[in-house]
Amino acid sequence: MSETNAYFVAVIGAGPSGLFGARELANQGARVVVFNRDIKPGGLAEYGVYPDKHKMKEGFRKQFRQALANDNIIYYSNLTVGAKGDFTLDDLRSLGFQAILVTVGAQSSKWLGLPGEDLKGVYHSKPVVLAYNLLPPYDEQKFDLGKRCAIIGAGNVMLDLAYYFIHEIKADEVIAVVRRGPAEVNFTKEEMTRSIANLDLDAFEAEMKRVTPALQAVNQDPEVGRNKVLAALPKAEPKFGDTRFRFEFLSSPVQMIGENGRLKQLEVEDNILVLKDGELKSRGTGHKRILDVDTVIFSIGDKVDASFGLPSDSNEFLKNPNPRYPVDGLSYEVFDPNTNATIPDVFIGGWARKASEGLVGYARKDGTNASKAVWQYLQTLQPTTPNLEGVAAKLKSLKKPIVTKDDIKRLEAVEAAEAQKRGLEEFKFATNDEMLQAMGLNVTA
Ligand SMILES: Cc1cc2nc3c(=O)[nH]c(=O)nc-3n(C[C@H](O)[C@H](O)[C@H](O)COP(=O)(O)OP(=O)(O)OC[C@H]3O[C@@H](n4cnc5c(N)ncnc54)[C@H](O)[C@@H]3O)c2cc1C
């Protein structure tokens, strides 16, 4: 089929922001090629959202299938884009792509740089979550998870991990170590309903009593925090097993203490709250305590992968503060400090624009808005003849199996049949090779 003239756009990453961004551009009439690292589309909606949320995940998958069904979208996966990827951004430019939308998410982990982070038993949430969601190759990594776990953080991911330690690890104790107070927790009531029945309410009240003077010192009514944490009680899901779930508020990790390379204890420092620039921040008091735990999971957010090759600061790609095409007042453009200017043809959206920000609905909106900025930029150019042959030739030269939309349909059918055969709600192959074989692709191509 000969190609008619159209704007020719590459979207890097097929998480929610990339898929909805691609759909927006395709609906405008652009010819869009989506390049994705993971074989399956969906990003963290597929590999982050907790595995037993079947209905939610299936709902997302349905929307992703609909987006990918658009004839203006081509999907290639099992490849990477980036400075050290199968395609560099310059490769894409020389193939004739007129704009590049980067929606690769936030692939690196934030660490605090504390002593003991390298001990066995100390992990970041991301690889643990990706492993229990069966994303190759993370699912082949071995984690030494024990029965007394401290999770550092106060968001929904902390709660997902608490749920995992209650239901799968069947831990004796899960402690959420929270830098600020109960009123500043970041998780939703809905997520808390899943684990609140395991919350040790006596321990919670004792903890409230311990931190009340610090809350009152900033004129905070302790009831605000108490109500926020306990709001999930009326809709609590049934208690599971004997895991005791509790909070350590106003506490920051100081160091992990080990023996023979394995974690034995976590040292935390007590905090007070201080008002700074209109926001309540934590400040260490110097008073330290020891928690006897055998596992520490840092659930403090992700950061972008600096090796992708776009200019970045410690956590995020650099955005042009004065965008040419702002959408809802936000910048979707990358700023290059070397040239002191925007990189004209590169745009960012979703978690690649703002790491660990919001849920799937947010990523969807952000990817769509990023595409609106891309579309405005394209209006300054002439449509072109999309060089699909050139892209196909480059893919062939990679000498590895490349996955297309039709392959994904076959994989989904095989996995659905396997789930039915095994009487499971859902079945996922655990390795890329198994997925490629199920799609009938030559693993060593
Ligand atoms: C543990 C956890 C639980 C969550 N639970 C929920 C929930 O219950 N409900 C909810 O609504 N939201 C949930 N979220 C949030 C939601 O998953 C995110 O908001 C959303 O997935 C972000 O979308 P994104 O497209 O920006 O990035 P991602 O989803 O991270 O997608 C990035 C995509 O880019 C691809 N990629 C990465 N690097 C490259 C590269 N170099 N080249 C090519 N492709 C690349 C990846 O393969 C991936 O497909 C959860 C998140 C986490 C971490």
Side-chain angles (χ1 to χ4, degrees):
M1 188 179 86
S2 69
E3 282 287 327
T4 51
N5 271 12
Y7 290 117
F8 192 36
V9 185
V11 172
I12 321 303
S17 60
L19 291 169
F20 287 110
R23 189 185 67 165
E24 171 72 19
L25 287 161
N27 284 344
Q28 296 279 6
R31 201 79 168 99
V32 183
V33 182
V34 177
F35 296 95
N36 196 38
R37 179 197 64 192
D38 306 335
I39 286 179
K40 287 187 187 178
L44 288 172
E46 180 64 47
Y47 293 111
V49 173
Y50 202 85
D52 72 354
K53 293 185 179 173
H54 297 292
K55 217 168 139 202
M56 179 190 281
K57 289 186 112 149
E58 209 34 60
F60 291 145
R61 287 183 193 124
K62 200 169 156 202
Q63 294 180 38
F64 300 155
R65 275 183 217 119
Q66 279 166 359
L68 280 177
N70 190 309
D71 285 338
N72 275 345
I73 300 178
I74 297 172
Y75 177 81
Y76 292 125
S77 71
N78 198 32
L79 58 88
T80 57
V81 176
K84 295 189 189 118
D86 297 313
F87 286 76
T88 62
L89 297 185
D90 278 342
D91 288 338
L92 296 174
R93 291 183 178 109
S94 60
L95 285 165
F97 286 102
Q98 296 170 290
I100 301 168
L101 172 58
V102 177
T103 51
V104 291
Q107 299 298 327
S108 295
S109 300
K110 264 195 221 166
W111 286 96
L112 298 176
L114 303 176
E117 284 181 353
D118 54 348
L119 288 168
K120 204 189 252 187
V122 181
Y123 304 102
H124 194 277
S125 58
K126 192 77 168 288
V128 177
V129 164
L130 296 178
Y132 69 58
N133 264 299
L134 295 183
L135 174 64
Y138 296 90
D139 53 351
E140 288 170 61
Q141 193 177 331
K142 292 275 168 280
F143 299 96
D144 194 340
L145 304 177
K147 294 285 179 186
R148 293 173 60 82
C149 176
I151 309 172
I152 318 296
N156 283 334
V157 177
M158 177 279 285
L159 281 180
D160 270 2
L161 282 154
Y163 186 89
Y164 177 69
F165 272 85
I166 294 168
H167 286 252
E168 301 300 326
I169 305 296
K170 301 183 172 58
D172 297 331
E173 183 164 40
V174 174
I175 309 165
V177 177
V178 177
R179 194 166 39 145
R180 294 184 292 167
E184 288 82 41
V185 292
N186 238 337
F187 52 74
T188 57
K189 186 169 87 178
E190 291 68 35
E191 287 299 327
M192 189 59 168
T193 57
R194 283 160 60 83
S195 298
I196 199 165
N198 283 72
L199 188 70
D200 180 335
L201 290 174
D202 291 339
F204 179 76
E205 287 309 328
E207 186 61 4
M208 286 302 301
K209 200 167 165 201
R210 185 181 76 83
V211 298
T212 287
L215 306 184
Q216 287 172 336
V218 286
N219 295 323
Q220 194 184 80
D221 181 353
E223 283 310 300
V224 176
R226 176 183 279 106
N227 292 341
K228 191 161 180 185
V229 175
L230 300 184
L233 269 178
K235 294 206 170 148
E237 289 185 11
K239 185 173 183 214
F240 186 91
D242 295 322
T243 309
R244 175 175 178 246
F245 180 29
R246 68 183 185 87
F247 283 88
E248 289 277 347
F249 293 114
L250 292 174
S251 304
S252 289
V254 177
Q255 64 167 326
M256 277 67 63
I257 302 161
E259 206 176 277
N260 300 325
R262 206 198 176 295
L263 175 74
K264 282 272 172 224
Q265 290 173 320
L266 168 69
E267 185 176 40
V268 296
E269 178 177 359
D270 289 343
N271 294 328
I272 54 166
L273 289 172
V274 288
L275 197 61
K276 203 174 160 205
D277 304 328
E279 228 190 295
L280 281 176
K281 307 259 183 201
S282 62
R283 182 189 292 158
T285 62
H287 181 258
K288 293 176 186 160
R289 293 177 292 126
I290 294 285
L291 303 178
D292 287 319
V293 291
D294 52 21
T295 312
V296 169
I297 313 269
F298 283 86
S299 180
I300 54 174
D302 307 309
K303 57 181 189 173
V304 297
D305 174 11
S307 74
F308 184 81
L310 288 177
S312 60
D313 63 10
S314 54
N315 295 327
E316 297 192 344
F317 294 130
L318 294 182
K319 287 177 277 291
N320 179 2
N322 302 304
R324 297 159 300 164
Y325 311 109
V327 180
D328 289 353
L330 294 176
S331 173
Y332 292 90
E333 298 167 30
V334 183
F335 183 74
D336 184 351
N338 293 323
T339 58
N340 211 24
T342 278
I343 303 178
D345 54 351
V346 178
F347 294 77
I348 45 177
W351 280 25
R353 189 185 67 77
K354 190 118 187 63
S356 302
E357 181 84 352
L359 299 174
V360 168
Y362 176 89
R364 172 190 175 137
K365 180 162 183 237
D366 207 61
T368 306
N369 282 352
S371 283
K372 289 182 178 161
V374 174
W375 188 252
Q376 288 183 59
Y377 165 68
L378 289 170
Q379 302 317 295
T380 66
L381 310 173
Q382 290 300 317
T384 178
T385 308
N387 178 14
L388 298 184
E389 289 82 10
V391 175
K394 168 77 182 168
L395 289 168
K396 203 163 173 209
S397 77
L398 297 177
K399 298 203 182 320
K400 64 187 216 175
I402 299 298
V403 175
T404 65
K405 280 190 217 179
D406 286 344
D407 297 325
I408 293 294
K409 277 189 198 151
R410 277 204 303 284
L411 176 62
E412 286 183 343
V414 174
E415 287 191 337
E418 197 61 38
Q420 205 180 24
K421 203 164 88 190
R422 296 176 188 224
L424 298 171
E425 187 115 24
E426 169 177 319
F427 172 82
K428 267 185 182 176
F429 289 110
T431 66
N432 279 347
D433 282 0
E434 285 169 293
M435 279 191 257
L436 293 168
Q437 269 156 11
M439 290 180 276
L441 295 177
N442 185 353
V443 173
T444 55

